[in-house]
């Protein structure tokens, strides 16, 4: 049996080199998937998937990892991705589901659902950091994929902009926490608000810092969300009444969060 020629992707080829190499090998529709909100202790986890057109139409000026872009650039690129993409999908996992299922499981499920929701079946899938099984198509988990592959960068912008817009809406429903500014990530202001007001329904009680201020830090992570934090019941402490943002279709870069990874959620030490 003849071994197929090795595909070489050169760094100088830029953000589109990996997709172009796959397309030359016959994988015409290359989908990228990424998430936003993994490290936040409040608000939803959002995953997105996108397939960009081949050739010049798929090249979006300024496209990059969403964390490296200004808010204005992200908004512009988001709209261009929506206008140009052959297919895209965005999936939202609410904070309550993150608590119930766990961060990593929720993250993989969200990316799987986003990829399955694409109106064009991908021939190949590139994901940022984590492999996603159960797709019935070949794929590759790419380290820092949102800085390496254009379709993953496009997905990262879709997820980030969708989530940021939702957090601005949540700031109106739950004022006093600063969601519009820090987007649910841990900052000094957010920590002070949690300490003074207690958590609201949009916080993730499986995260150590939220569990601590809620007085439930001794409970196992999956059991930390109290019954009165369910979406159809009011909280007793400091949470103003208001609606929540439903599933969406479709700032400056934040420093790494001090909590949020799986080991911290389970009560470990970073």
């Amino acid at each position: 049996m003849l071994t197929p020629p090795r595909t070489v992707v050169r760094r100088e080829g830029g953000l589109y080199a990996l997709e172009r190499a796959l397309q030359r090998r016959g994988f015409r529709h290359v989908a990228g998937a990424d998430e936003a909100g993994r490290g936040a202790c409040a608000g939803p986890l959002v995953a997105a998937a996108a397939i960009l057109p081949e050739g010049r139409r798929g090249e979006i000026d300024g496209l990059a990892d969403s964390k490296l872009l200004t808010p204005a650039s992200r908004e512009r690129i988001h709209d261009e991705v929506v206008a140009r993409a052959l297919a895209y999908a965005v999936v939202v996992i609410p904070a309550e589901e993150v608590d119930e299922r766990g961060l990593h499981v929720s993250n993989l499920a969200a990316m799987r659902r986003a990829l399955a929701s694409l109106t064009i079946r991908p021939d190949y899938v590139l994901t940022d950091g984590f492999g996603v099984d159960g797709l019935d198509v070949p794929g590759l988990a790419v380290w820092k994929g949102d800085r390496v592959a254009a379709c993953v960068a496009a997905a990262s912008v879709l997820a980030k902009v969708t989530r940021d817009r939702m957090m601005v809406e949540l700031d109106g429903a739950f004022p006093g926490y600063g969601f519009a500014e820090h987007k649910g990530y841990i900052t000094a202001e957010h920590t002070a608000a949690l300490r003074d007001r207690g958590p609201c329904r949009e916080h993730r009680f499986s995260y150590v810092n939220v569990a601590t201020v809620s007085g439930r830090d001794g409970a196992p992570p999956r059991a930390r969300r109290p019954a009165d934090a369910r979406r159809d019941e009011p909280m007793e402490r400091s949470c103003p009444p208001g609606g929540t943002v439903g599933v969406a279709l479709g700032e400056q870069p934040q420093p790494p969060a001090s909590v949020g990874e799986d080991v911290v959620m389970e009560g470990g030490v970073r």
Side-chain angles (χ1 to χ4, degrees):
M1 177 181 291
L2 294 176
T3 302
R6 184 181 176 196
T7 299
V8 177
V9 180
R10 301 188 183 281
R11 185 180 298 273
E12 59 268 23
L15 194 62
Y16 297 87
L18 181 53
E19 279 165 83
R20 299 295 183 258
L22 288 167
Q23 288 161 353
R24 288 195 298 271
R25 296 296 298 272
F27 300 105
R28 182 180 179 188
H29 296 136
V30 181
D34 199 4
E35 53 73 30
R38 181 179 172 86
C41 71
L45 178 70
V46 179
I51 300 176
L52 296 175
E54 297 178 71
R56 295 294 297 273
R57 177 164 173 75
E59 296 181 6
I60 297 173
D61 184 41
L63 178 62
D65 173 7
S66 63
K67 296 182 290 297
L68 303 179
L69 299 170
T70 65
S73 294
R74 279 198 298 267
E75 289 284 346
R76 176 185 62 78
I77 291 171
H78 171 278
D79 293 346
E80 285 203 46
V81 171
V82 168
R84 295 194 191 192
L86 296 177
Y88 73 94
V90 181
V91 169
V92 175
I93 305 294
E96 182 177 358
E97 187 173 337
V98 173
D99 283 343
E100 290 174 352
R101 303 184 67 186
L103 176 64
H104 188 61
V105 171
S106 297
N107 187 36
L108 294 182
M111 288 200 289
R112 187 180 300 111
R113 284 165 54 186
L115 288 161
S117 298
L118 292 170
T119 55
I120 295 176
R121 186 176 185 271
D123 300 312
Y124 201 97
V125 169
L126 299 173
T127 54
D128 183 32
F130 301 97
V132 179
D133 57 7
L135 299 177
D136 293 330
V137 295
L140 178 67
V142 183
W143 176 248
K144 293 190 179 297
D146 45 11
R147 303 186 186 187
V148 175
C151 58
V152 180
S156 78
V157 171
L158 291 176
K160 173 66 174 167
V161 170
T162 298
R163 187 177 187 278
D164 282 0
R165 291 173 178 176
M166 295 176 72
M167 294 308 296
V168 170
E169 290 190 46
L170 287 175
D171 187 67
F174 299 95
Y177 292 99
F179 288 155
E181 287 73 39
H182 54 64
K183 308 301 189 294
Y185 290 89
I186 295 300
T187 62
E189 293 76 15
H190 193 183
T191 298
L194 268 172
R195 183 178 60 247
D196 296 341
R197 302 171 62 83
C200 74
R201 290 198 301 269
E202 292 297 331
H203 280 96
R204 302 175 187 175
F205 286 78
S206 55
Y207 281 47
V208 171
N209 64 320
V210 179
T212 299
V213 298
S214 69
R216 299 178 63 83
D217 53 313
R222 303 297 179 262
R224 284 176 179 161
R225 176 170 285 267
D228 58 0
R230 294 172 184 159
R231 290 176 172 264
D232 56 354
E233 300 177 13
M235 287 283 288
E236 291 183 2
R237 276 190 72 188
S238 305
C239 275
T244 57
V245 179
V247 174
L249 295 175
E251 93 236 58
Q252 296 296 333
Q254 296 290 342
S258 58
V259 299
E261 300 297 335
D262 291 340
V263 63
V264 182
M265 287 178 60
E266 300 297 338
V269 178
R270 182 184 287 277

